[in-house]
PDB file of all heavy atoms in Angstrom:
ATOM      1  N   SER I  21       8.099   6.649 -69.276  1.00 95.00           N
ATOM      2  CA  SER I  21       7.319   5.470 -69.302  1.00 95.00           C
ATOM      3  C   SER I  21       5.854   5.798 -69.728  1.00 95.00           C
ATOM      4  O   SER I  21       5.509   6.896 -69.805  1.00 95.00           O
ATOM      5  CB  SER I  21       7.265   4.803 -67.908  1.00 95.00           C
ATOM      6  OG  SER I  21       6.637   5.668 -66.994  1.00 95.00           O
ATOM      7  N   GLY I  22       5.075   4.718 -69.916  1.00 95.00           N
ATOM      8  CA  GLY I  22       3.655   5.018 -70.300  1.00 95.00           C
ATOM      9  C   GLY I  22       2.944   5.810 -69.267  1.00 95.00           C
ATOM     10  O   GLY I  22       2.224   6.745 -69.618  1.00 95.00           O
ATOM     11  N   SER I  23       3.055   5.525 -68.013  1.00 94.00           N
ATOM     12  CA  SER I  23       2.360   6.334 -66.910  1.00 94.00           C
ATOM     13  C   SER I  23       2.938   7.715 -66.878  1.00 94.00           C
ATOM     14  O   SER I  23       2.266   8.665 -66.561  1.00 94.00           O
ATOM     15  CB  SER I  23       2.513   5.668 -65.601  1.00 94.00           C
ATOM     16  OG  SER I  23       3.919   5.486 -65.218  1.00 94.00           O
ATOM     17  N   GLY I  24       4.195   7.876 -67.279  1.00 95.00           N
ATOM     18  CA  GLY I  24       4.807   9.238 -67.347  1.00 95.00           C
ATOM     19  C   GLY I  24       4.098  10.055 -68.432  1.00 95.00           C
ATOM     20  O   GLY I  24       3.819  11.278 -68.174  1.00 95.00           O
ATOM     21  N   TRP I  25       3.821   9.464 -69.495  1.00 96.00           N
ATOM     22  CA  TRP I  25       3.119  10.172 -70.625  1.00 96.00           C
ATOM     23  C   TRP I  25       1.690  10.493 -70.279  1.00 96.00           C
ATOM     24  O   TRP I  25       1.230  11.632 -70.524  1.00 96.00           O
ATOM     25  CB  TRP I  25       3.089   9.348 -71.934  1.00 96.00           C
ATOM     26  CG  TRP I  25       4.443   9.372 -72.658  1.00 96.00           C
ATOM     27  CD1 TRP I  25       5.316   8.321 -72.928  1.00 96.00           C
ATOM     28  CD2 TRP I  25       5.024  10.595 -73.196  1.00 96.00           C
ATOM     29  NE1 TRP I  25       6.338   8.789 -73.582  1.00 96.00           N
ATOM     30  CE2 TRP I  25       6.261  10.114 -73.825  1.00 96.00           C
ATOM     31  CE3 TRP I  25       4.658  11.919 -73.314  1.00 96.00           C
ATOM     32  CZ2 TRP I  25       7.103  11.022 -74.439  1.00 96.00           C
ATOM     33  CZ3 TRP I  25       5.583  12.768 -73.929  1.00 96.00           C
ATOM     34  CH2 TRP I  25       6.757  12.302 -74.443  1.00 96.00           C
ATOM     35  N   VAL I  26       0.983   9.610 -69.496  1.00 96.00           N
ATOM     36  CA  VAL I  26      -0.304   9.810 -69.126  1.00 96.00           C
ATOM     37  C   VAL I  26      -0.253  11.042 -68.160  1.00 96.00           C
ATOM     38  O   VAL I  26      -1.118  12.039 -68.290  1.00 96.00           O
ATOM     39  CB  VAL I  26      -0.930   8.612 -68.336  1.00 96.00           C
ATOM     40  CG1 VAL I  26      -2.260   8.965 -67.600  1.00 96.00           C
ATOM     41  CG2 VAL I  26      -1.165   7.455 -69.309  1.00 96.00           C
ATOM     42  N   LEU I  27       0.673  11.102 -67.199  1.00 96.00           N
ATOM     43  CA  LEU I  27       0.737  12.166 -66.295  1.00 96.00           C
ATOM     44  C   LEU I  27       1.010  13.502 -67.091  1.00 96.00           C
ATOM     45  O   LEU I  27       0.509  14.577 -66.847  1.00 96.00           O
ATOM     46  CB  LEU I  27       1.884  11.991 -65.237  1.00 96.00           C
ATOM     47  CG  LEU I  27       2.087  13.074 -64.241  1.00 96.00           C
ATOM     48  CD1 LEU I  27       0.889  13.339 -63.336  1.00 96.00           C
ATOM     49  CD2 LEU I  27       3.234  12.636 -63.307  1.00 96.00           C
ATOM     50  N   PHE I  28       1.854  13.425 -68.044  1.00 96.00           N
ATOM     51  CA  PHE I  28       2.207  14.529 -68.874  1.00 96.00           C
ATOM     52  C   PHE I  28       0.951  15.161 -69.575  1.00 96.00           C
ATOM     53  O   PHE I  28       0.729  16.396 -69.587  1.00 96.00           O
ATOM     54  CB  PHE I  28       3.224  14.168 -69.970  1.00 96.00           C
ATOM     55  CG  PHE I  28       3.599  15.239 -70.975  1.00 96.00           C
ATOM     56  CD1 PHE I  28       4.266  16.302 -70.593  1.00 96.00           C
ATOM     57  CD2 PHE I  28       3.219  15.115 -72.335  1.00 96.00           C
ATOM     58  CE1 PHE I  28       4.568  17.303 -71.527  1.00 96.00           C
ATOM     59  CE2 PHE I  28       3.512  15.997 -73.224  1.00 96.00           C
ATOM     60  CZ  PHE I  28       4.215  17.170 -72.803  1.00 96.00           C
ATOM     61  N   ILE I  29       0.082  14.236 -70.162  1.00 97.00           N
ATOM     62  CA  ILE I  29      -1.075  14.672 -70.835  1.00 97.00           C
ATOM     63  C   ILE I  29      -2.085  15.274 -69.824  1.00 97.00           C
ATOM     64  O   ILE I  29      -2.695  16.369 -70.104  1.00 97.00           O
ATOM     65  CB  ILE I  29      -1.769  13.493 -71.567  1.00 97.00           C
ATOM     66  CG1 ILE I  29      -0.867  13.133 -72.793  1.00 97.00           C
ATOM     67  CG2 ILE I  29      -3.134  13.831 -72.092  1.00 97.00           C
ATOM     68  CD1 ILE I  29      -1.130  11.810 -73.343  1.00 97.00           C
ATOM     69  N   VAL I  30      -2.230  14.643 -68.695  1.00 97.00           N
ATOM     70  CA  VAL I  30      -3.095  15.111 -67.645  1.00 97.00           C
ATOM     71  C   VAL I  30      -2.645  16.603 -67.235  1.00 97.00           C
ATOM     72  O   VAL I  30      -3.485  17.505 -67.074  1.00 97.00           O
ATOM     73  CB  VAL I  30      -3.199  14.277 -66.371  1.00 97.00           C
ATOM     74  CG1 VAL I  30      -3.854  14.918 -65.220  1.00 97.00           C
ATOM     75  CG2 VAL I  30      -3.913  12.974 -66.750  1.00 97.00           C
ATOM     76  N   LEU I  31      -1.296  16.772 -67.039  1.00 97.00           N
ATOM     77  CA  LEU I  31      -0.841  18.079 -66.652  1.00 97.00           C
ATOM     78  C   LEU I  31      -1.059  19.108 -67.858  1.00 97.00           C
ATOM     79  O   LEU I  31      -1.319  20.281 -67.470  1.00 97.00           O
ATOM     80  CB  LEU I  31       0.622  17.935 -66.324  1.00 97.00           C
ATOM     81  CG  LEU I  31       0.885  17.268 -64.978  1.00 97.00           C
ATOM     82  CD1 LEU I  31       2.375  16.940 -64.823  1.00 97.00           C
ATOM     83  CD2 LEU I  31       0.390  18.053 -63.754  1.00 97.00           C
ATOM     84  N   ILE I  32      -0.903  18.702 -69.071  1.00 97.00           N
ATOM     85  CA  ILE I  32      -1.143  19.602 -70.184  1.00 97.00           C
ATOM     86  C   ILE I  32      -2.552  20.116 -70.150  1.00 97.00           C
ATOM     87  O   ILE I  32      -2.848  21.283 -70.420  1.00 97.00           O
ATOM     88  CB  ILE I  32      -0.829  18.856 -71.521  1.00 97.00           C
ATOM     89  CG1 ILE I  32       0.569  18.690 -71.773  1.00 97.00           C
ATOM     90  CG2 ILE I  32      -1.568  19.604 -72.678  1.00 97.00           C
ATOM     91  CD1 ILE I  32       1.311  19.853 -72.397  1.00 97.00           C
ATOM     92  N   LEU I  33      -3.498  19.193 -69.781  1.00 97.00           N
ATOM     93  CA  LEU I  33      -4.917  19.499 -69.810  1.00 97.00           C
ATOM     94  C   LEU I  33      -5.287  20.416 -68.624  1.00 97.00           C
ATOM     95  O   LEU I  33      -6.133  21.356 -68.778  1.00 97.00           O
ATOM     96  CB  LEU I  33      -5.761  18.272 -69.841  1.00 97.00           C
ATOM     97  CG  LEU I  33      -5.686  17.449 -71.072  1.00 97.00           C
ATOM     98  CD1 LEU I  33      -6.429  16.141 -70.943  1.00 97.00           C
ATOM     99  CD2 LEU I  33      -6.270  18.229 -72.291  1.00 97.00           C
ATOM    100  N   PHE I  34      -4.733  20.100 -67.474  1.00 97.00           N
ATOM    101  CA  PHE I  34      -5.211  20.740 -66.252  1.00 97.00           C
ATOM    102  C   PHE I  34      -4.189  21.711 -65.590  1.00 97.00           C
ATOM    103  O   PHE I  34      -4.569  22.515 -64.767  1.00 97.00           O
ATOM    104  CB  PHE I  34      -5.593  19.704 -65.221  1.00 97.00           C
ATOM    105  CG  PHE I  34      -6.793  18.862 -65.754  1.00 97.00           C
ATOM    106  CD1 PHE I  34      -6.542  17.606 -66.134  1.00 97.00           C
ATOM    107  CD2 PHE I  34      -8.083  19.394 -65.841  1.00 97.00           C
ATOM    108  CE1 PHE I  34      -7.594  16.800 -66.641  1.00 97.00           C
ATOM    109  CE2 PHE I  34      -9.135  18.614 -66.299  1.00 97.00           C
ATOM    110  CZ  PHE I  34      -8.887  17.295 -66.706  1.00 97.00           C
ATOM    111  N   CYS I  35      -2.950  21.571 -65.945  1.00 96.00           N
ATOM    112  CA  CYS I  35      -1.914  22.324 -65.191  1.00 96.00           C
ATOM    113  C   CYS I  35      -0.707  22.525 -66.027  1.00 96.00           C
ATOM    114  O   CYS I  35       0.389  21.999 -65.727  1.00 96.00           O
ATOM    115  CB  CYS I  35      -1.665  21.665 -63.838  1.00 96.00           C
ATOM    116  SG  CYS I  35      -0.802  22.797 -62.687  1.00 96.00           S
ATOM    117  N   ILE I  36      -0.840  23.317 -67.113  1.00 95.00           N
ATOM    118  CA  ILE I  36       0.216  23.393 -68.088  1.00 95.00           C
ATOM    119  C   ILE I  36       1.582  23.785 -67.508  1.00 95.00           C
ATOM    120  O   ILE I  36       2.618  23.332 -67.890  1.00 95.00           O
ATOM    121  CB  ILE I  36      -0.159  24.320 -69.265  1.00 95.00           C
ATOM    122  CG1 ILE I  36      -1.139  23.547 -70.156  1.00 95.00           C
ATOM    123  CG2 ILE I  36       1.054  24.751 -70.055  1.00 95.00           C
ATOM    124  CD1 ILE I  36      -1.636  24.358 -71.365  1.00 95.00           C
ATOM    125  N   PRO I  37       1.566  24.806 -66.484  1.00 97.00           N
ATOM    126  CA  PRO I  37       2.961  25.168 -65.919  1.00 97.00           C
ATOM    127  C   PRO I  37       3.662  23.998 -65.286  1.00 97.00           C
ATOM    128  O   PRO I  37       4.953  24.139 -65.111  1.00 97.00           O
ATOM    129  CB  PRO I  37       2.512  26.231 -64.844  1.00 97.00           C
ATOM    130  CG  PRO I  37       1.201  26.711 -65.271  1.00 97.00           C
ATOM    131  CD  PRO I  37       0.502  25.569 -65.926  1.00 97.00           C
ATOM    132  N   LEU I  38       3.016  22.871 -65.015  1.00 96.00           N
ATOM    133  CA  LEU I  38       3.724  21.766 -64.413  1.00 96.00           C
ATOM    134  C   LEU I  38       3.938  20.642 -65.298  1.00 96.00           C
ATOM    135  O   LEU I  38       4.314  19.516 -64.887  1.00 96.00           O
ATOM    136  CB  LEU I  38       2.952  21.308 -63.127  1.00 96.00           C
ATOM    137  CG  LEU I  38       2.890  22.357 -61.979  1.00 96.00           C
ATOM    138  CD1 LEU I  38       1.982  21.755 -60.840  1.00 96.00           C
ATOM    139  CD2 LEU I  38       4.276  22.692 -61.431  1.00 96.00           C
ATOM    140  N   CYS I  39       3.739  20.873 -66.573  1.00 94.00           N
ATOM    141  CA  CYS I  39       3.704  19.663 -67.551  1.00 94.00           C
ATOM    142  C   CYS I  39       5.098  19.060 -67.742  1.00 94.00           C
ATOM    143  O   CYS I  39       5.221  17.967 -68.283  1.00 94.00           O
ATOM    144  CB  CYS I  39       3.125  20.077 -68.936  1.00 94.00           C
ATOM    145  SG  CYS I  39       4.214  21.235 -69.817  1.00 94.00           S
ATOM    146  N   TRP I  40       6.194  19.741 -67.245  1.00 95.00           N
ATOM    147  CA  TRP I  40       7.577  19.251 -67.400  1.00 95.00           C
ATOM    148  C   TRP I  40       7.883  18.217 -66.256  1.00 95.00           C
ATOM    149  O   TRP I  40       8.883  17.512 -66.378  1.00 95.00           O
ATOM    150  CB  TRP I  40       8.502  20.362 -67.386  1.00 95.00           C
ATOM    151  CG  TRP I  40       8.272  21.370 -66.230  1.00 95.00           C
ATOM    152  CD1 TRP I  40       7.489  22.481 -66.236  1.00 95.00           C
ATOM    153  CD2 TRP I  40       8.686  21.167 -64.847  1.00 95.00           C
ATOM    154  NE1 TRP I  40       7.378  22.958 -64.937  1.00 95.00           N
ATOM    155  CE2 TRP I  40       8.145  22.256 -64.103  1.00 95.00           C
ATOM    156  CE3 TRP I  40       9.522  20.271 -64.164  1.00 95.00           C
ATOM    157  CZ2 TRP I  40       8.420  22.435 -62.698  1.00 95.00           C
ATOM    158  CZ3 TRP I  40       9.821  20.466 -62.835  1.00 95.00           C
ATOM    159  CH2 TRP I  40       9.242  21.573 -62.158  1.00 95.00           C
ATOM    160  N   LEU I  41       6.983  18.217 -65.295  1.00 94.00           N
ATOM    161  CA  LEU I  41       7.278  17.287 -64.157  1.00 94.00           C
ATOM    162  C   LEU I  41       7.669  15.856 -64.480  1.00 94.00           C
ATOM    163  O   LEU I  41       8.612  15.282 -63.954  1.00 94.00           O
ATOM    164  CB  LEU I  41       6.134  17.301 -63.091  1.00 94.00           C
ATOM    165  CG  LEU I  41       6.179  18.401 -62.025  1.00 94.00           C
ATOM    166  CD1 LEU I  41       4.925  18.402 -61.160  1.00 94.00           C
ATOM    167  CD2 LEU I  41       7.449  18.188 -61.203  1.00 94.00           C
ATOM    168  N   PRO I  42       6.911  15.236 -65.333  1.00 94.00           N
ATOM    169  CA  PRO I  42       7.225  13.828 -65.658  1.00 94.00           C
ATOM    170  C   PRO I  42       8.597  13.574 -66.219  1.00 94.00           C
ATOM    171  O   PRO I  42       9.175  12.483 -66.135  1.00 94.00           O
ATOM    172  CB  PRO I  42       6.100  13.400 -66.723  1.00 94.00           C
ATOM    173  CG  PRO I  42       5.065  14.325 -66.491  1.00 94.00           C
ATOM    174  CD  PRO I  42       5.605  15.685 -66.072  1.00 94.00           C
ATOM    175  N   PHE I  43       9.187  14.651 -66.738  1.00 92.00           N
ATOM    176  CA  PHE I  43      10.468  14.533 -67.348  1.00 92.00           C
ATOM    177  C   PHE I  43      11.612  14.586 -66.292  1.00 92.00           C
ATOM    178  O   PHE I  43      12.765  14.219 -66.616  1.00 92.00           O
ATOM    179  CB  PHE I  43      10.713  15.630 -68.398  1.00 92.00           C
ATOM    180  CG  PHE I  43       9.795  15.464 -69.591  1.00 92.00           C
ATOM    181  CD1 PHE I  43       8.690  16.220 -69.583  1.00 92.00           C
ATOM    182  CD2 PHE I  43      10.114  14.605 -70.644  1.00 92.00           C
ATOM    183  CE1 PHE I  43       7.739  16.061 -70.702  1.00 92.00           C
ATOM    184  CE2 PHE I  43       9.211  14.490 -71.654  1.00 92.00           C
ATOM    185  CZ  PHE I  43       8.056  15.219 -71.698  1.00 92.00           C
TER     186      PHE I  43
END
Side-chain angles (χ1 to χ4, degrees):
S21 67
S23 56
W25 282 116
V26 171
L27 180 60
F28 176 68
I29 290 163
V30 168
L31 288 169
I32 284 278
L33 291 173
F34 298 106
C35 197
I36 286 179
L38 295 176
C39 69
W40 48 270
L41 270 177
F43 296 95

